Amino acid sequence: QRKLYAVIQGKKYIMVEGWQLLAAFNGLNIVIESTQRLKTDDGEGWEAVAKIYNSEGRIVGAGEAQCMNNESKATWRKADDYARRSMAQTRAISKACRTILSFVVVLAGYEPTPFEEMDGVVNHKLLVTNEQLDVINSLSTSKTIEWIKKTFDITALAQLTQEQAASLLTRLKQAKGGE
């Protein structure tokens, strides 16, 4: 069970890997058609264009997106040039998929806005990774798991954030006398 979405203020937003999987399941191929360096009066960065092709090779969707060094999120202000170029591509892929597949994710109970478009809009926290869950489970008894659920006010370990899981793993490893 992969985490292909992130929860932001109680709503589920599909990440690029989820959009790509949905496209693949529908026989669609996503291609980055171009990337272009951008310079404006107040910043610079990259713009990318993604196109979606069906099995007959026809374009059925497209999206373009940017990643600039003047964005509100500090990550992109400080990022290396290659990272901004890559994020522009990631955002373009998500946007292209959203244009033709958003009805599917809405029917499944997710938000139609791609997770990558929420960057800087709100403060979000990614959910625990499968690797973190595996280690937590291996270090925990059923009593410990109940304590974790009560402490973090959750009904399942999969509701932990990556930050909470990292902190918890440190405590669990210390309690076990390791690492």
Side-chain angles (χ1 to χ4, degrees):
Q1 180 178 338
R2 298 262 178 225
K3 293 288 184 287
L4 300 176
Y5 65 91
V7 177
I8 303 173
Q9 296 179 344
K11 297 179 181 178
K12 297 177 191 173
Y13 294 85
I14 305 291
M15 296 178 181
V16 68
E17 297 85 358
W19 288 109
Q20 290 172 311
L21 183 63
L22 184 57
F25 281 164
N26 284 280
L28 303 171
N29 187 27
I30 311 159
V31 176
I32 295 294
E33 290 286 321
S34 65
T35 58
Q36 177 179 320
R37 181 179 290 282
L38 296 177
K39 290 189 181 195
T40 64
D41 291 340
D42 61 343
E44 59 184 66
W46 288 89
E47 179 177 70
V49 176
K51 293 189 179 172
I52 300 180
Y53 293 83
N54 66 12
S55 58
E56 288 87 42
R58 285 190 229 122
I59 297 171
V60 295
E64 57 185 69
Q66 301 173 352
C67 186
M68 304 290 287
N69 67 352
N70 61 357
E71 294 185 18
S72 61
K73 190 170 183 185
T75 302
W76 302 118
R77 288 194 305 268
K78 299 175 185 176
D80 289 331
D81 195 50
Y82 77 89
R84 282 193 294 273
R85 185 177 191 180
S86 179
M87 179 49 79
Q89 293 174 18
T90 298
R91 290 174 178 171
I93 289 168
S94 290
K95 186 66 169 179
C97 290
R98 186 238 190 274
T99 63
I100 62 170
L101 297 168
S102 62
F103 74 97
V104 177
V105 300
V106 169
L107 288 172
Y110 297 89
E111 295 299 312
T113 304
F115 166 73
E116 290 75 18
E117 288 185 27
M118 298 302 292
D119 211 9
V121 175
V122 295
N123 186 16
H124 61 270
K125 297 185 186 263
L126 297 178
L127 290 178
V128 61
T129 66
N130 289 329
E131 292 78 16
Q132 288 174 315
L133 281 175
D134 289 344
V135 177
I136 289 169
N137 281 317
S138 72
L139 295 173
S140 300
T141 64
S142 58
K143 198 175 209 179
T144 306
I145 290 173
E146 288 309 311
W147 174 85
I148 293 168
K149 290 177 182 178
K150 184 176 180 184
T151 301
F152 291 97
D153 192 28
I154 56 175
T155 58
L157 293 180
Q159 294 172 314
L160 290 167
T161 66
Q162 288 181 12
E163 187 177 309
Q164 290 170 327
S167 172
L168 184 59
L169 283 169
T170 300
R171 291 174 69 180
L172 289 171
K173 287 176 181 177
Q174 288 172 345
K176 292 281 185 185
E179 301 162 46

